[in-house]
Amino acid sequence: MEIVNQWRQEKLRYCIMTKNATRILSGIQPTGDLHLGNYLGALRSWVESQHSTESFYCVVDLHSLTVEFDRDNLARRTLDAVCMLLAAGLDPEHCTIFVQSHVDEHTSLEWLLECVATFGELNRMTQFKDKGAGQESVTVGLFTYPVLMAADILLYDADKVPIGDDQRQHLELARRIASRFNARYGETFTVPEALIPPVGARIMDLQHPENKMSKSSDSHLGTIFLLDDPDEVVNKLKRAVTDSENTVHYDSERKPGVSNLLEILSAITAERPDVLALRYDSYSRLKQDVAQAIIDTISPISKRFRELTSNTDYVMDVINNGAVRAREVAAVTLARGREAIGLLRP
Ligand code: TRP
């Protein structure tokens, strides 16, 4: 019961927070490999909030240079990411979609912010420690990654930033940098707030329900990709880990596998997971229904993705227009930052 209440409260809090936002910005790594967790936990609420709030969505290709990357595929992956955003329902009439490297202001502001952020605080970033661990050599870009992210956010005066739980520390840093800049040089930047998806929208791995669904899971059976075909979905659901009780109820502590299936169904149908549980007396029926609900959700997305990837002229138009719009906003903020810090105006 406790869990269900917490789930409802978080869901409510998320709705209220998005409604009150005046500007939202988020960044997404360049990949077309998005999975069901990305969609239900993040993308879908972006699609909803584009109608109530001015929103900017940035494909962060510069960030992807901080770890090993594939030069031959970078441009295509960037385009794929944009196609995915569009396929999932972002509408360029209602939000701005752009590519980070197309807007030079990001790296220009990054420098100003690097002269405000300290070595010590960057050195405390757990993602830097994790990604750098065991590497023979680590680039400076990996170290300053969170400052570029802060620039992404502050350039647009974003007051709400939808992010996954793993980006909480980076957002906290962006807030600190903004506040310090403002205190030192006068009110310049909006101090942003994190928008973390509600617990109920956190989709877990089908094979290891104690972990979040992720594209880098060791078993590909645990992750439903938005481009999976219906047979793959049915197969992954059939093999999803449950437990030996064969009674369907919602208890994520004791029955993480079954509860995750109920969460998925709940995220899709907007019904409470504990109420959904009452309708099932076997795992196989539950799995069939979850598979069908997933197929109904992702099939239109993959269909549209394929249409978009074969119409790159349209997609390039979207991101070229997006860059123009993004630059309009970013240029003003950058000028404000330069002036505040005392640089000579050209
Ligand atoms: N670091 C984020 C991630 O890996 C991506 C990102 C870059 C981002 N810039 C951003 C997210 C600005 C939100 C706002 O998920």
Side-chain angles (χ1 to χ4, degrees), residues 5-287:
N5 276 335
Q6 189 191 349
W7 175 82
R8 289 170 72 188
Q9 268 174 14
E10 293 248 359
K11 202 155 188 157
L12 192 65
R13 185 178 61 88
Y14 189 76
C15 295
I16 293 170
M17 284 171 77
T18 342
K19 284 233 162 59
N20 290 345
T22 59
R23 199 179 270 164
I24 286 184
L25 174 132
S26 198
I28 181 163
Q29 299 274 351
T31 164
D33 267 10
L34 297 183
H35 56 73
L36 190 69
N38 298 131
Y39 179 71
L40 296 176
L43 264 176
R44 198 176 50 161
S45 44
W46 298 6
V47 172
E48 278 167 36
S49 53
Q50 68 181 334
H51 297 290
S52 51
T53 314
E54 190 179 11
S55 333
F56 288 81
Y57 294 109
C58 174
V59 176
V60 293
D61 54 347
L62 296 174
H63 274 116
S64 71
L65 307 181
T66 58
V67 286
E68 213 174 299
F69 64 96
D70 178 1
R71 172 184 181 278
D72 295 331
N73 282 320
L74 184 56
R76 191 190 46 82
R77 291 170 74 88
T78 303
L79 213 51
D80 280 356
V82 176
C83 291
M84 259 308 174
L85 296 179
L86 294 170
L90 286 185
D91 177 352
E93 300 285 322
H94 290 285
C95 67
T96 303
I97 303 170
F98 67 102
V99 174
Q100 187 184 34
S101 68
H102 294 181
V103 182
D104 283 339
E105 281 77 2
H106 289 245
T107 44
S108 297
L109 182 63
E110 183 195 359
W111 180 255
L112 302 190
L113 302 181
E114 277 180 15
C115 296
V116 172
T118 67
F119 184 87
E121 61 195 352
L122 289 184
N123 214 16
R124 281 195 293 277
M125 294 292 119
T126 55
Q127 194 176 73
F128 172 70
K129 289 188 215 167
D130 293 346
K131 286 193 182 173
Q135 305 282 358
E136 206 174 286
S137 96
V138 167
T139 66
V140 179
L142 186 65
F143 188 65
T144 57
Y145 173 118
V147 189
L148 179 58
M149 177 163 161
D152 298 340
I153 298 166
L154 302 186
L155 271 179
Y156 299 91
D157 284 324
D159 47 10
K160 304 283 177 188
V161 183
I163 43 168
D165 204 35
D166 60 324
Q167 298 296 315
R168 211 185 266 274
Q169 198 189 22
H170 289 163
L171 195 96
E172 204 37 58
L173 179 74
R175 288 168 56 82
R176 270 219 306 280
I177 294 176
S179 307
R180 191 177 308 145
F181 192 107
N182 289 346
R184 219 173 261 176
Y185 305 114
E187 273 313 305
T188 310
F189 298 118
T190 302
V191 180
E193 265 177 48
L195 209 52
I196 312 267
V199 178
R202 216 163 282 165
I203 305 302
M204 311 307 271
D205 189 292
L206 298 179
Q207 292 295 319
H208 304 282
E210 61 289 353
N211 301 334
K212 251 173 64 170
M213 187 176 281
S214 126
K215 73 168 179 207
S216 45
S217 166
D218 55 356
S219 160
H220 73 285
L221 284 173
T223 308
I224 306 268
F225 291 98
L226 297 181
L227 299 177
D228 279 352
D229 60 39
D231 289 347
E232 280 172 287
V233 174
V234 169
N235 182 38
K236 286 178 182 177
L237 261 295
K238 265 196 195 137
R239 297 170 69 171
V241 166
T242 50
D243 51 63
S244 54
E245 280 180 2
N246 213 23
T247 55
V248 179
H249 58 262
Y250 182 66
D251 179 343
S252 44
E253 295 279 305
R254 282 193 44 250
K255 297 170 76 70
V258 174
S259 299
N260 185 36
L261 299 180
L262 290 165
E263 286 282 9
I264 293 174
L265 199 55
S266 159
I268 294 175
T269 61
E271 290 188 72
R272 281 171 42 179
D274 56 330
V275 173
L276 287 167
L278 301 174
R279 291 189 203 147
Y280 293 96
D281 51 18
S282 82
Y283 290 167
S284 66
R285 275 297 313 285
L286 173 65
K287 286 178 162 189

